[in-house]
Amino acid sequence: MQTVRLSLMAVAATLALGATAAQAASYEIDPAHTHTTFEIGHFGTSTNRARFDKTTGSIELDRAHHRGRVDVSIHTDTISSGTEHFDAHLKSADLFDSARYPTIRFVSDRFVFQGDKLVSVPGQLTLLGKTHPVTLKAVHFNCYKSPMFNGREVCGGDFETTIDRTQWGMDYLVKMGMPTSVHLITQIEAVQK
């Protein structure tokens, strides 16, 4: 009788693990709806803004169990400010050094929920060859069946954070009065595989 009970418990545990695994879904970044923008003050006058036009990567999401993983790379040579000369300077060794560091990478294995609402994604940001912790705050987040992808599920939203660029060694013009604080805004959508 004890053997039968243990066998039933083992089967139940296996089924529970299978059900948990079935809840997780994999998603691939939709490049048409994924961009990262940065904003930095310009000597106390205006605000400089630019956008990275190419992001690649994948997301795993288990909404039922409030778990997720993300691994995305932002391609620094796709930066676009609207001014060709400024773009060239942003890609130079003074700033993003695109020739040496073609990507900025964000990796996380933890999604933070309040109830069923995703509120933040703490992870590691690698920029200019240095890695530091960063938490992305979820401003909006939703999943929907997309008519553009034959009814497949798409999940995504808007996320933001503010970083001190000098942590990653980006010190250009700091001694001349340029701020160190950079506001990052990420619009991301990913399509279920």
Side-chain angles (χ1 to χ4, degrees), residues 155-185:
C155 292
D158 293 332
F159 298 84
E160 63 182 17
T161 193
T162 299
I163 64 169
D164 177 345
R165 63 189 174 105
T166 61
Q167 279 190 282
W168 286 268
M170 191 181 285
D171 301 320
Y172 182 71
L173 291 183
V174 169
K175 290 181 179 177
M176 300 294 291
M178 274 289 283
T180 61
S181 183
V182 181
H183 187 210
L184 301 174
I185 304 158

Side-chain angles (χ1 to χ4, degrees), residues 132-165:
H132 294 289
V134 165
T135 297
L136 299 178
K137 176 187 171 190
V139 179
H140 304 287
F141 183 80
N142 186 44
C143 296
Y144 67 97
K145 299 293 183 186
S146 173
M148 303 301 292
F149 293 101
N150 298 319
R152 282 190 289 164
E153 185 173 68
V154 173
C155 292
D158 293 332
F159 298 84
E160 63 182 17
T161 193
T162 299
I163 64 169
D164 177 345
R165 63 189 174 105

Side-chain angles (χ1 to χ4, degrees), residues 84-165:
E84 192 173 323
H85 177 74
F86 187 35
D87 292 350
H89 188 219
L90 288 168
K91 294 175 192 178
S92 77
D94 285 341
L95 295 158
F96 289 98
D97 201 356
S98 298
R100 287 182 62 201
Y101 304 103
T103 59
I104 300 166
R105 187 176 180 206
F106 179 77
V107 177
S108 173
D109 62 2
R110 188 163 75 92
F111 286 14
V112 177
F113 284 80
Q114 287 180 353
D116 288 331
K117 181 181 178 185
L118 178 64
V119 293
S120 66
V121 181
Q124 299 290 320
L125 181 71
T126 302
L127 167 67
L128 298 176
K130 296 179 176 66
T131 303
H132 294 289
V134 165
T135 297
L136 299 178
K137 176 187 171 190
V139 179
H140 304 287
F141 183 80
N142 186 44
C143 296
Y144 67 97
K145 299 293 183 186
S146 173
M148 303 301 292
F149 293 101
N150 298 319
R152 282 190 289 164
E153 185 173 68
V154 173
C155 292
D158 293 332
F159 298 84
E160 63 182 17
T161 193
T162 299
I163 64 169
D164 177 345
R165 63 189 174 105

Side-chain angles (χ1 to χ4, degrees), residues 27-34 55-59 70-73 188-191 193:
Y27 301 80
E28 188 170 348
I29 297 298
D30 172 12
H33 293 96
T34 302
T55 301
T56 55
S58 61
I59 296 170
V70 62
D71 187 344
V72 295
S73 293
I188 186 166
E189 291 193 24
V191 184
K193 294 180 184 177

